[in-house]
């Protein structure tokens, strides 16, 4: 007798359906598991047998062979346990003959006592089950909220094998877990780190507003204690709220990585890895590839403090994902692509002691030491930073209690939202979908960046005087386009180009001193 039930696995951040087949013969009792399982899947044999017997269910005394199809994809993780057990029980006749398993998908890890334990990657798995035509999915109760985000399939959360069997035999009822998308759109986003707490730094705040409006990368450079990290941590508070499609994509990444908290990632991610992180931790990978920090920051912010201290291998590996918005990880077992469209915020001191160019402190570094320190940030990497902003030390008058408080994050965010709405209208008039200015293609850049004669003259002079690359030229145009959007201007004016050019001038002060 052969039984067939359905489950799902993950490959990258996408799910795929897995058909679990069980064949049983009345011979010497054995249990074989095939279909390219990894170590965790192979160990399912012991978990399934113990869970079955400890739940008071007789384990079939047959020669059992369980196959996980498609056999050419390596199966990993413990999420197939429940499907393997159901297939064995169906093969052994423990389920009624009229029990239709063709509409169901089973996902979950089993404990030795028969309880269901949560697994990671449930969201993409449930999407794969729905796309394959399954009508119901049974998952561990802790994963039900996450799975319920998917439309078009009924989600049932169960706590044990006995509950699942009772449900299939129609002896007990399990409630459908539902998700109301209004919960996502109505959710208030609280800002823990507010821009009003930052004293002074008007220029840096303006640059961060531009970066948020256009999705631009930004480099903050200044002496220790000037507020670089403080400013960067407040950037998520002025970014526009994610769309539901963006939230779903981010949730899939965090679900696969095992970092998901709650049913849906509602706020833009802010990732701040330490500079001692490994290349695999940053880019992603491993024997069974997993998302790295650049993918966990997708649609959010990746903050790299002490940027020159990053190993060269890591900083150079960031260049391709910054251009393409995705990273492909190739290993012996798999080749997966993870999305990685994030805003990069870098912070650094101008030298090792931190006071090169500071009028209030004496720099103790030699010119050679300064050059060596700054050269850790390569020219190509610097070229990809759309805005380069100096963050000077704050004066006592700005820090004193009598100094007026600055704008709140809510006020700045309103202008950012208005700029993005203007950009969306501008693109819609040409029949194009919205993309942040930082992600515009070259063709879009040429169509959307109409310069006045004076603006074109300023850009030409800056190109020759600063020795800009083609990439540098295009990035100035993108930033100028964002500044124009903040002013609700279809045409890029001279003042827009002039401000954009000044955000590309720090390399002349520091890197070419």
């Amino acid at each position: 007798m052969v039984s067939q039930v359905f489950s799902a696995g993950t490959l990258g951040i996408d799910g795929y359906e897995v058909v679990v087949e069980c064949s049983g013969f009345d011979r010497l009792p054995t249990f074989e598991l095939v279909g390219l399982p990894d170590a965790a899947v192979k160990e399912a044999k012991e978990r399934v047998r113990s869970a079955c017997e400890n739940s008071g269910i007789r384990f079939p005394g047959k020669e059992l062979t369980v196959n996980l199809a498609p056999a050419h994809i390596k199966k990993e993780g413990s999420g197939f346990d429940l499907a393997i057990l159901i297939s064995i029980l169906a093969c052994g006749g423990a389920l009624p003959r009229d029990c239709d398993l063709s509409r169901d998908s089973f996902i979950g890890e089993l404990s030795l006592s028969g309880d269901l334990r949560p697994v990671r990657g449930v969201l993409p798995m449930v999407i794969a089950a729905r796309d394959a035509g399954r009508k119901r999915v049974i998952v561990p109760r802790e994963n039900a909220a996450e799975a319920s985000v998917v439309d078009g399939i009924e989600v049932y959360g169960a706590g044990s094998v006995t509950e699942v069997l009772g449900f299939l035999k129609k002896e007990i009822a399990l409630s459908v877990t539902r998700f109301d998308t209004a919960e996502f759109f109505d959710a208030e986003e609280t800002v823990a780190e507010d821009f009003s707490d930052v004293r002074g730094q008007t220029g840096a705040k303006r640059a961060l507003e531009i970066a948020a409006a256009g999705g631009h990368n930004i480099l903050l450079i200044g002496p220790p204690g000037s507020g670089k990290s403080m400013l960067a941590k407040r950037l998520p508070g002025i970014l526009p709220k994610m769309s539901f499609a963006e939230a779903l994509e981010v949730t899939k990444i965090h679900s696969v990585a095992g970092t998901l908290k709650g049913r849906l990632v509602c706020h833009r991610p802010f990732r701040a890895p330490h500079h001692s992180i490994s290349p695999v931790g940053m880019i992603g990978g491993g024997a069974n590839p997993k998302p790295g920090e650049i993918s966990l920051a997708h649609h959010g912010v990746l903050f790299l403090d002490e940027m020159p201290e990053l190993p060269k291998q890591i900083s150079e590996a960031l260049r391709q994902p910054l251009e393409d918005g995705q990273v492909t990880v190739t290993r012996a077992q798999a080749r997966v692509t993870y999305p990685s469209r994030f805003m990069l915020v870098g912070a650094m001191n101008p030298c090792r002691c931190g006071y090169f160019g500071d009028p209030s402190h004496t720099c103790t570094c030699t010119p050679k030491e300064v050059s060596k320190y700054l050269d850790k940030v390569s020219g190509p990497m610097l070229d990809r930073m759309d805005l380069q902003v100096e963050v000077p030390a704050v004066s006592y008058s700005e820090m004193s209690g009598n100094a007026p408080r600055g704008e709140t994050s809510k006020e700045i965010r309103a202008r950012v939202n208005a700029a993005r709405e203007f950009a969306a209208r501008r693109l819609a008039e040409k029949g194009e979908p919205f993309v942040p200015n930082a992600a515009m293609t070259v063709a879009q850049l040429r169509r959307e960046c109409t310069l006045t004669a004076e603006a074109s003259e300023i850009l030409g002079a800056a190109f020759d005087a600063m020795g800009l690359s083609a990439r540098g030229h295009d990035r100035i145009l993108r930033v100028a386009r964002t500044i124009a959007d903040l002013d609700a201007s279809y045409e890029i004016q001279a003042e827009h180009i002039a401000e954009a050019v000044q955000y590309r001038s720090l390399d002349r002060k520091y890197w070419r001193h």
Side-chain angles (χ1 to χ4, degrees):
M1 181 177 178
V2 177
S3 65
Q4 185 182 77
V5 302
F6 301 94
S7 186
T10 57
L11 191 60
I13 66 164
D14 296 318
Y16 64 96
E17 185 171 61
V18 174
V19 181
V20 183
E21 303 168 311
C22 180
S23 173
F25 295 96
D26 292 323
R27 298 173 186 162
L28 187 67
T30 57
F31 186 178
E32 289 297 326
L33 189 59
V34 298
L36 212 58
D38 72 353
V41 180
K42 288 178 182 177
E43 290 170 354
K45 293 193 294 184
E46 306 308 321
R47 290 194 297 271
V48 165
R49 187 188 299 273
S50 296
C52 188
E53 294 176 351
N54 287 325
S55 299
I57 305 164
R58 189 182 69 84
F59 193 82
K62 297 175 178 285
E63 181 186 86
L64 299 172
T65 302
V66 175
N67 177 45
L68 306 178
H72 68 280
I73 299 177
K74 188 173 182 66
K75 317 302 183 304
E76 62 173 47
S78 54
F80 305 110
D81 289 6
L82 180 59
I84 291 171
L85 175 57
I86 298 299
S87 69
I88 291 172
L89 296 179
C91 180
L95 291 174
R97 290 187 178 276
D98 63 346
C99 183
D100 182 12
L101 300 175
S102 64
R103 60 178 179 167
D104 297 331
S105 185
F106 301 89
I107 300 168
E109 176 186 331
L110 295 175
S111 71
L112 297 183
S113 63
D115 292 333
L116 282 182
R117 287 177 172 162
V119 295
R120 64 186 182 184
V122 163
L123 180 58
M125 291 182 198
V126 175
I127 292 174
R130 179 203 61 190
D131 293 346
R134 305 306 143 219
K135 304 302 180 186
R136 306 189 306 187
V137 60
I138 292 90
V139 299
R141 191 164 285 123
E142 293 87 343
N143 288 129
E146 174 190 347
S148 68
V149 173
V150 183
D151 287 330
I153 189 168
E154 294 180 352
V155 175
Y156 295 89
S160 66
V161 170
T162 357
E163 282 187 27
V164 175
L165 291 180
F167 175 68
L168 294 176
K169 294 177 181 179
K170 300 180 181 178
E171 296 172 352
I172 66 170
L174 294 176
S175 58
V176 180
T177 306
R178 304 187 186 280
F179 175 70
D180 185 0
T181 52
E183 294 179 28
F184 171 77
F185 292 107
D186 295 342
E188 285 293 327
E189 189 166 352
T190 56
V191 179
E193 311 266 7
D194 199 279
F195 265 98
S196 62
D197 300 328
V198 182
R199 301 298 180 93
Q201 304 300 4
T202 306
K205 289 178 183 177
R206 166 67 175 174
L208 286 168
E209 180 181 333
I210 296 168
H216 301 287
N217 303 323
I218 182 169
L219 176 66
L220 305 174
I221 179 168
S226 57
K228 301 184 294 295
S229 299
M230 191 177 187
L231 287 162
K233 289 175 182 176
R234 281 154 177 76
L235 180 58
I238 64 173
L239 291 174
K241 187 174 182 177
M242 284 195 293
S243 66
F244 187 76
E246 287 176 328
L248 200 62
E249 191 173 17
V250 173
T251 302
K252 285 170 65 176
I253 297 171
H254 285 259
S255 178
V256 169
T259 59
L260 184 63
K261 297 176 182 177
R263 67 174 69 190
L264 195 67
V265 177
C266 297
H267 308 315
R268 293 189 183 274
F270 179 82
R271 307 292 298 186
H274 192 262
H275 56 74
S276 62
I277 189 172
S278 68
V280 169
M282 180 68 79
I283 304 301
N288 297 315
K290 291 291 181 292
E293 288 291 335
I294 62 172
S295 297
L296 294 173
H298 185 56
H299 288 317
V301 176
L302 178 67
F303 175 48
L304 300 181
D305 203 0
E306 305 295 343
M307 202 167 169
E309 301 300 335
L310 273 176
K312 193 174 184 64
Q313 181 184 4
I314 294 179
S315 60
E316 296 307 299
L318 287 172
R319 286 158 52 178
Q320 179 262 330
L322 282 170
E323 289 293 319
D324 299 342
Q326 62 182 28
V327 60
T328 300
V329 178
T330 304
R331 295 293 182 268
Q333 301 294 344
R335 181 178 184 271
V336 295
T337 298
Y338 295 114
S340 57
R341 191 164 294 286
F342 56 89
M343 282 180 61
L344 176 62
V345 181
M348 61 179 288
N349 298 329
C351 65
R352 188 165 294 281
C353 79
Y355 295 110
F356 174 73
D358 188 337
S360 304
H361 296 82
T362 302
C363 176
T364 59
C365 303
T366 64
K368 185 177 180 179
E369 289 173 332
V370 174
S371 295
K372 185 178 179 181
Y373 183 79
L374 292 172
D375 286 345
K376 290 182 179 180
V377 180
S378 68
M381 190 66 183
L382 190 65
D383 213 24
R384 285 168 169 81
M385 307 305 287
D386 298 353
L387 297 98
Q388 303 159 11
V389 184
E390 189 166 21
V391 185
V394 182
S395 66
Y396 175 76
S397 61
E398 292 171 320
M399 289 295 297
S400 66
N402 297 326
R405 289 176 67 85
E407 288 183 297
T408 64
S409 294
K410 186 176 181 180
E411 292 170 322
I412 300 173
R413 190 182 193 182
R415 292 198 297 269
V416 169
N417 284 330
R420 291 219 177 187
E421 287 166 8
F422 178 82
R425 287 197 307 272
R426 174 171 49 76
L427 290 166
E429 289 169 4
K430 297 180 176 65
E432 297 183 10
F434 171 76
V435 292
N437 291 332
M440 282 195 298
T441 64
V442 174
Q444 286 175 318
L445 195 66
R446 298 292 175 262
R447 286 196 301 271
E448 296 301 319
C449 295
T450 305
L451 280 68
T452 64
E454 190 179 358
S456 181
E457 187 178 338
I458 291 173
L459 181 58
F463 187 86
D464 294 333
M466 299 170 68
L468 293 172
S469 64
R471 181 187 290 115
H473 170 272
D474 287 352
R475 289 188 180 273
I476 284 179
L477 276 180
R478 287 185 170 93
V479 173
R481 178 65 267 169
T482 301
I483 297 170
D485 289 341
L486 284 164
D487 286 347
S489 171
Y490 282 92
E491 210 172 30
I492 297 176
Q493 308 290 333
E495 60 268 24
H496 302 148
I497 280 288
E499 185 175 3
V501 166
Q502 81 173 22
Y503 292 126
R504 300 287 300 189
S505 60
L506 282 190
D507 58 343
R508 297 179 65 81
K509 175 177 178 180
Y510 291 108
W511 276 265
R512 301 179 189 177
H513 67 279

